[in-house]
């Protein structure tokens, strides 16, 4: 068995790295059509003939500088771990811009194989790329692939496997057309490097290389470090400090960038034919979707349709699940009786687990539809446009339109949404976005709205549920506005985002995305919600004197009664509500499970289940206004345990995390008290 | 003129960028270098723009647009 091969996937954002990575490793990492989906490196492996190929999917970058988090992460990985080969995924439909990174990667000195992706799209447009010439000019192998259609995959890995056999440097062939040929470096160096800079810069590279060699010995990536010194790259300066006061007066970064792009123009001139043809369809769609007047109403319309479908269609299919649960529940009861299981076990299984977990499973259709819609949104290319459309509103509250992408993802799940805030360049911007993203109503809160709005609002149920989403957005924006007014630090309101071309959503991508979410939901039901239901059952069925017949004697009731007075101004002063809210910190769906357990409702998402719960609540004076206040409180209060974890990880600060928890609790209390008190006035009047 | 007050649909040559270093470098890495031709595709009410540069589309906020000096290619 030959040694393992370590392979890094590097490329621009949204060039198809992750799709290609999934194609090789069989992984199901998230793919979407907006720049910045991958924020962490992901590893995978597969067997190629008798060798183990270890692949690493790195976040998309435009450049090997260290100005953004993604760049730092990718660069650090390439420099510090023993990457044998870099596969540089190049989006053939955006060749010119993509080659900029390619040139930088080649400059590093690690073997590079270019995977020219999206060749199918290029062919459709009638564009021709001279692959042979491109490979000659870059001095590295260029392999056409289509990650989506899975073509060229074998050829690519074959090339990678033989990278050492290739006498790459000798393949370099340059003409420079009729360009003025300078004496000195230009042609001597072209045997070694594709990009040869002006004499001024090449001389300095030589001087700096000598200085580095004198001080640090033979470095890998010597030329690259020298070039980075010329660019006055802060990280390289700190890593290999040398005194350049005699060599450098100012950074040559701009010249270096310009000369690379000059060379790219040469390449494009030679290898690309039929440049400007059918790229116009995206522009036509954009004329409508990003129209200065229509853009915002269209976006709001799309969101309204998504929520309408989530509630309406979700409700239509939910009956199947309910029937199934009912049958299952009665079968288990029969089985338990047949086994002569004691009261304890029967109660735990039926009242605790089935009521808690089973009730949650019936909301799966709603969750499924919501994520299906979000998948379409993400895969079509519309996501990045939302940042552009929302730039005006977000700018008014001191955030860039780009911050709206995490917020929008927050409708699905807050955890990946907070991770997505990494694509924001400004730290202040990130913190604010992380603070307000949990206010965006995630799918875990959906069961709470579905249940309580149907129980208390009859025909207006959907309106009541939809208003939660609006309140969430409104609170998020108001909070951002207040922070912005009171903060001396300036948020980054400079939008800068690439807009990908629209494409017809890929069924496979969407399937993977939605299936992943369904799996997450089921896993959550089987783990967190299961455990929480069992705990809630225990806390409610045991008291200081052992197992209790009456829940109001239980530990849960004791805790609930201690907290209930605090919630009374919001109309939530019942000990049962307090218990449900505390349990909801594990995961928001648990609020619903807890209600099932608390009120012995076995199939909570059915008409009968709802009726019995409504009756029980009404008996305690809990009406529509209380229900609405509860929905608002659930929308805004402490994020779930998983979210708290990710906030802690992303901000790297326990203090900030604690502040977020406290702050959101305070906001939830304030808003629900306001709603309940004002609502009470109206109802009284 | 700057990108903020340029004619919609026009093609322009980029002159100087008057921005903070990081934003400027990021723009340059995206191919928005001096002398590059760009096309102005869209502008919304807040002054953000969509441009075509080196075959890809970029959305830029108003502040960035105001800082990009250029002249029209006729």
């Amino acid at each position: 068995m030959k040694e393992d091969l370590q392979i890094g996937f590097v490329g621009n954002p949204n060039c198809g790295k992750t799709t290609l990575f999934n194609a090789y490793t069989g992984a199901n990492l998230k793919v979407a059509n907006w720049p910045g989906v991958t924020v962490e490196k992901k590893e995978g492996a597969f067997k190629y003939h008798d060798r183990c190929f270890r692949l690493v999917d790195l976040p998309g970058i435009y450049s090997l500088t260290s100005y953004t988090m993604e760049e730092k992460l990718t660069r650090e990985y390439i420099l510090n771990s023993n990457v044998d080969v870099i596969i540089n995924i190049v989006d053939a439909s955006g060749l010119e811009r993509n080659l900029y990174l390619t040139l930088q990667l080649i400059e590093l000195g690690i073997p590079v194989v270019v995977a020219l992706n999206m060749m199918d799209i290029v062919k459709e447009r009638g564009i021709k790329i001279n692959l042979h010439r491109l490979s000659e000019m870059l001095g590295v192998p260029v392999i056409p692939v289509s990650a989506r259609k899975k073509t060229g995959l074998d050829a690519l890995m074959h090339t990678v496997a033989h990278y050492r056999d290739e006498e790459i440097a000798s393949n370099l062939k340059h003409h420079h057309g009729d360009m003025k040929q300078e004496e000195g470096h230009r042609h001597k160096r072209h045997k070694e490097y594709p990009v040869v800079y002006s004499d001024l810069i090449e001389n300095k590279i030589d001087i700096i290389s000598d200085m580095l060699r004198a001080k640090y010995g033979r470095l890998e990536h010597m030329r690259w470090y020298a070039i980075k010194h010329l660019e006055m790259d802060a990280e390289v300066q700190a890593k290999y400090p040398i005194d350049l006061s005699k060599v450098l007066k100012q950074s040559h970064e701009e010249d270096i960038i310009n000369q690379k792009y000059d060379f790219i123009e040469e390449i494009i001139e030679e290898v690309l034919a039929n440049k400007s043809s059918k790229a116009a369809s995206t522009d036509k769609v954009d004329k409508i979707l990003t129209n200065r007047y229509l853009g915002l109403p269209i976006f709001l319309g799309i969101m309204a349709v998504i929520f309408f479908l989530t509630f309406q269609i979700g409700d239509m299919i939910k009956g199947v699940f309910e029937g199934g649960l009912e049958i299952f529940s009665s079968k288990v009861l029969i089985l338990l009786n047949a086994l002569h299981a004691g009261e304890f076990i029967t109660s735990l299984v039926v009242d605790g687990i089935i009521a808690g977990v089973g009730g949650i499973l019936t909301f799966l259709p709603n969750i499924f539809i919501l994520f299906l819609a979000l998948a379409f949104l993400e895969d079509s290319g519309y996501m990045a446009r939302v940042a552009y459309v929302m730039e005006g509103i977000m700018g008014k509250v001191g955030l860039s339109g780009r911050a709206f992408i995490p917020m929008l993802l927050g409708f699905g799940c807050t955890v990946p949404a907070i991770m997505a805030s990494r694509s924001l360049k400004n730290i202040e911007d990130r913190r604010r976005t992380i603070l307000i993203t949990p206010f965006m109503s995630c799918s875990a809160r959906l069961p709470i709205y579905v249940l309580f709005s149907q129980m208390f609002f009859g025909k207006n149920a959907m309106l009541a549920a939809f208003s939660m989403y609006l309140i969430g957005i409104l609170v998020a924006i108001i909070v951002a506005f207040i922070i912005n007014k009171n903060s001396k630090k300036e948020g980054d309101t400079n939008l800068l985002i690439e807009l990908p071309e629209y494409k017809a959503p890929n069924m496979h991508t969407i399937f993977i995305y939605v299936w992943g979410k369904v799996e997450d939901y089921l896993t959550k039901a089987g783990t967190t919600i299961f455990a929480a239901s069992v705990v809630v059952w225990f806390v409610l069925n045991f008291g200081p004197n052992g197992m209790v017949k009456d829940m109001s004697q239980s530990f849960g009731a004791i805790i609930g009664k201690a907290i209930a007075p605090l919630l009374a101004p919001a109309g939530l002063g019942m000990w049962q509500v307090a218990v449900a809210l505390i349990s909801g910190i594990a995961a928001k769906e648990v609020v619903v499970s807890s209600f099932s357990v608390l009120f012995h409702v076995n199939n909570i998402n059915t008409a009968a289940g709802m009726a019995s719960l409504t009756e029980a609540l009404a008996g305690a004076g809990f009406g529509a206004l209380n229900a609405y206040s509860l929905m608002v409180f659930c929308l805004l209060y402490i994020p779930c345990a998983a979210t708290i974890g990710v906030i802690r990880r992303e901000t790297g600060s326990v203090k900030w995390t604690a502040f977020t928890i406290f702050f959101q609790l305070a906001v939830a209390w304030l808003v629900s008290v306001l709603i309940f008190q004002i609502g009470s006035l109206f109802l009284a009047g | 003129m700057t990108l903020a007050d340029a004619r919609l649909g026009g093609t322009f040559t980029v002159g100087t960028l008057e921005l903070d270093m990081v934003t400027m470098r990021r723009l340059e890495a995206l191919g928005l270098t001096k002398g590059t031709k760009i096309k102005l595709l869209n502008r919304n009410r807040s002054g953000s723009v969509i441009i075509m540069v080196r075959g890809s589309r970029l959305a830029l906020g108003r502040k960035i647009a105001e800082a990009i000096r250029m002249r029209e290619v006729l």
Side-chain angles (χ1 to χ4, degrees):
Chain A
M1 180 123 175
K2 287 190 209 164
E3 64 196 295
D4 291 2
L5 207 58
Q6 189 84 16
I7 302 163
F9 277 43
V10 186
N12 280 187
N14 217 36
C15 70
K17 280 181 308 302
T18 304
T19 311
L20 195 63
F21 180 86
N22 285 348
Y24 281 117
T25 59
N28 286 335
L29 297 182
K30 179 181 170 178
V31 175
N33 188 18
W34 47 277
V37 180
T38 307
V39 289
E40 280 185 310
K41 71 172 171 27
K42 293 274 163 52
E43 302 185 32
F46 77 106
K47 274 245 167 342
Y48 184 81
H49 298 302
D50 57 343
R51 294 176 89 172
C52 181
F53 279 23
R54 301 190 177 283
L55 308 185
V56 180
D57 185 27
L58 293 155
I61 51 172
Y62 293 111
S63 168
L64 273 187
T65 46
S66 52
Y67 295 127
T68 69
M69 275 178 89
E70 293 92 339
E71 284 174 359
K72 275 183 204 155
L73 203 145
T74 300
R75 191 167 114 167
E76 202 163 298
Y77 177 79
I78 298 173
L79 288 175
N80 298 338
S81 56
N82 297 313
V83 184
D84 295 303
V85 186
I86 293 172
I87 294 186
N88 172 215
I89 293 94
V90 165
D91 174 358
S93 64
L95 192 59
E96 193 169 347
R97 217 269 325 289
N98 277 254
L99 283 178
Y100 179 67
L101 179 65
T102 308
L103 294 183
Q104 295 182 72
L105 291 171
I106 295 172
E107 215 158 60
L108 261 173
I110 298 172
V112 173
V113 175
V114 169
L116 204 55
N117 193 20
M118 316 215 190
M119 285 300 283
D120 42 336
I121 296 172
V122 167
K123 276 202 189 104
E124 273 168 37
R125 289 206 198 120
I127 301 173
K128 289 210 168 58
I129 298 176
N130 184 340
L131 296 175
H132 180 72
R133 185 71 192 120
L134 180 60
S135 168
E136 263 182 5
M137 292 186 82
L138 294 173
V140 300
V142 175
I143 312 296
V145 298
S146 169
R148 283 214 283 166
K149 293 186 178 160
K150 300 195 178 187
T151 57
L153 300 190
D154 207 51
L156 178 61
M157 279 308 155
H158 182 82
T159 312
V160 169
H162 293 282
Y163 78 98
R164 275 188 188 135
D165 313 340
E166 306 255 348
E167 272 301 318
I168 285 167
S170 63
N171 285 347
L172 272 174
K173 283 182 190 140
H174 288 259
H175 307 312
H176 287 306
D178 47 7
M179 235 173 79
K180 188 178 135 259
Q181 292 183 4
E182 291 172 64
E183 286 301 309
H185 290 292
R186 202 143 188 142
H187 275 261
K188 264 196 280 172
R189 277 284 158 82
H190 263 178
K191 284 269 174 270
E192 298 165 74
Y193 312 111
V195 187
V196 179
Y197 300 97
S198 63
D199 287 353
L200 175 81
I201 289 176
E202 285 292 339
N203 283 331
K204 291 194 176 181
I205 291 175
D206 287 347
I207 296 169
I208 296 172
S209 298
D210 288 342
M211 290 171 74
L212 283 170
R213 198 171 293 117
K215 193 162 173 191
Y216 299 101
R218 268 191 62 83
L219 290 176
E220 257 185 296
H221 325 304
M222 180 66 89
R223 181 175 166 88
W224 187 77
Y225 280 122
I227 291 169
K228 285 292 147 187
H229 266 297
L230 274 169
E231 292 176 355
M232 295 191 161
D233 183 281
E235 281 191 0
V236 170
Q237 282 178 334
K239 193 172 171 189
Y240 295 113
I242 40 175
D243 178 23
L244 288 173
S245 54
K246 293 204 181 68
V247 191
L248 278 184
K249 286 200 182 62
Q250 87 280 4
S251 163
H252 286 278
E253 190 169 9
E254 196 165 358
D255 301 324
I256 290 170
I257 295 173
N258 277 320
Q259 291 180 25
K260 278 204 186 83
Y261 266 113
D262 288 345
F263 179 53
I264 291 171
E265 277 173 24
E266 270 183 59
I267 297 177
I268 295 295
E269 193 65 36
E270 285 198 40
V271 304
L272 213 63
N274 278 346
K275 257 199 285 187
S276 56
S277 32
K278 290 188 221 156
S281 59
T282 287
D283 291 329
K284 275 182 202 144
V285 179
D286 263 343
K287 278 229 159 58
I288 302 160
L289 293 185
T290 60
N291 179 285
R292 56 191 290 147
Y293 301 108
L294 296 177
L296 194 57
I298 288 176
F299 169 62
L300 295 177
I302 290 174
M303 292 319 289
V305 169
I306 289 178
F307 294 124
F308 176 79
L309 292 176
T310 302
F311 287 100
Q312 218 54 26
I313 300 190
D315 265 2
M316 280 158 57
I317 19 185
K318 120 189 149 178
V320 184
F321 283 73
E322 283 163 0
L325 181 65
E326 206 138 337
I327 293 165
F328 180 73
S329 181
S330 58
K331 285 274 187 301
V332 169
L333 199 58
I334 293 167
L335 181 75
L336 287 171
N337 284 334
L339 292 171
H340 300 291
E343 189 197 354
F344 173 82
I345 296 289
T346 310
S347 170
L348 172 64
V349 173
V350 177
D351 301 333
I353 296 167
I354 297 184
V357 177
I360 291 307
L361 290 180
T362 59
F363 294 96
L364 191 60
N366 304 87
I367 306 284
F368 173 79
I369 300 286
L370 176 67
F371 279 111
L372 190 65
L374 287 177
F376 270 98
L377 218 54
E378 288 197 52
D379 199 42
S380 62
Y382 183 61
M383 210 67 179
R385 269 75 184 183
V386 175
Y388 172 76
V389 168
M390 293 298 289
E391 171 75 2
I393 293 174
M394 297 297 281
K396 287 200 178 73
V397 299
L399 285 168
S400 115
R402 178 123 205 195
F404 201 74
I405 293 182
M407 289 170 69
L408 192 55
L409 293 173
F411 285 137
C413 176
T414 316
V415 173
I418 283 175
M419 304 256 302
S421 71
R422 284 191 187 180
S423 61
L424 300 168
K425 310 305 170 208
N426 179 302
I427 187 94
E428 183 62 23
D429 221 22
R430 272 195 79 204
R431 287 208 150 173
R432 291 180 191 181
T433 308
I434 290 174
L435 185 68
I436 63 174
T437 298
F439 290 134
M440 306 303 280
S441 185
C442 72
S443 62
R445 285 165 250 190
L446 199 64
I448 303 171
Y449 309 153
V450 172
L451 184 68
F452 282 89
S453 63
Q454 285 181 354
M455 273 167 41
F456 288 95
F457 295 97
K459 264 189 285 176
N460 296 321
M462 193 143 81
L463 203 64
F466 191 56
S467 70
M468 289 300 126
Y469 289 90
L470 293 180
I471 291 174
I473 299 177
L474 218 61
V475 169
I477 288 184
I478 291 170
V479 167
F481 180 76
I482 293 170
I483 294 173
N484 193 42
K485 276 274 173 246
N486 294 301
S487 169
K488 285 182 193 75
K489 287 179 211 150
E490 191 142 335
D492 177 14
T493 52
N494 280 341
L495 179 68
L496 200 180
I497 189 171
E498 188 187 359
L499 304 181
E501 301 213 350
Y502 290 108
K503 65 181 172 70
N506 178 284
M507 285 308 139
H508 183 67
T509 303
I510 288 185
F511 173 79
I512 286 176
Y513 180 106
V514 176
W515 178 242
K517 297 293 176 185
V518 168
E519 251 180 354
D520 284 352
Y521 191 73
L522 294 177
T523 312
K524 194 156 80 168
T527 55
T528 314
I529 295 172
F530 174 83
S533 298
V534 171
V535 170
V536 168
W537 180 86
F538 265 103
V539 167
L540 289 173
N541 283 285
F542 284 84
N545 305 317
M547 198 164 176
V548 292
K549 275 268 172 284
D550 181 4
M551 277 191 191
S552 63
Q553 305 299 319
S554 67
F555 287 120
I558 295 169
I559 302 167
K561 280 171 189 160
I563 295 169
L566 293 173
L567 296 169
L572 305 174
M574 287 166 71
W575 70 263
Q576 291 95 331
V577 174
V579 170
L581 288 176
I582 296 171
S583 68
I585 297 171
K588 296 251 165 141
E589 297 97 331
V590 177
V591 171
V592 170
S593 327
S594 294
F595 269 97
S596 314
V597 178
L598 276 160
F599 294 96
H600 297 291
V601 188
N602 273 334
N603 207 342
I604 201 162
N605 201 13
T606 57
M610 286 185 198
S612 77
L613 182 55
T614 315
E615 203 179 311
L617 285 169
F622 191 96
L625 185 59
N626 304 71
Y628 198 75
S629 173
L630 177 69
M631 285 159 69
V632 171
F633 197 89
C634 287
L635 163 70
L636 303 173
Y637 87 123
I638 308 179
C640 69
T643 304
I644 293 172
V646 81
I647 292 175
R648 158 81 187 77
R649 198 151 56 92
E650 294 297 306
T651 57
S653 155
V654 178
K655 232 165 81 186
W656 181 263
T657 311
F659 167 73
T660 307
I661 293 171
F662 176 77
F663 176 75
Q664 287 175 346
L665 197 57
V667 169
W669 189 83
L670 204 69
V671 177
S672 52
V673 166
L674 272 177
I675 286 177
F676 186 73
Q677 294 301 333
I678 294 171
S680 300
L681 284 180
F682 275 99
L683 290 181
Chain B
M1 86 185 107
T2 71
L3 183 53
D5 43 46
R7 185 176 63 83
L8 214 59
T11 302
F12 308 88
T13 311
V14 176
T16 51
L17 311 175
E18 287 152 20
L19 282 158
D20 64 287
M21 231 265 291
V22 172
T23 312
M24 195 159 80
R25 294 293 180 247
R26 283 176 54 212
L27 282 173
E28 287 167 353
L30 285 160
L32 206 80
T33 52
K34 198 173 175 180
T36 312
K37 281 202 181 74
I38 60 172
K39 190 172 178 203
L40 181 54
L41 299 174
N42 207 331
R43 178 184 287 124
N44 70 16
R45 279 187 290 171
S46 67
S48 309
V49 296
I50 300 177
I51 58 168
M52 175 72 101
V53 54
R54 296 188 195 267
S56 50
R57 288 173 193 78
L58 290 185
L60 303 173
R62 182 177 49 84
K63 282 189 195 163
I64 295 180
E66 282 170 352
I68 299 174
R69 306 210 134 269
M70 46 188 215
R71 59 190 160 69
E72 184 151 11
V73 181
L74 296 169

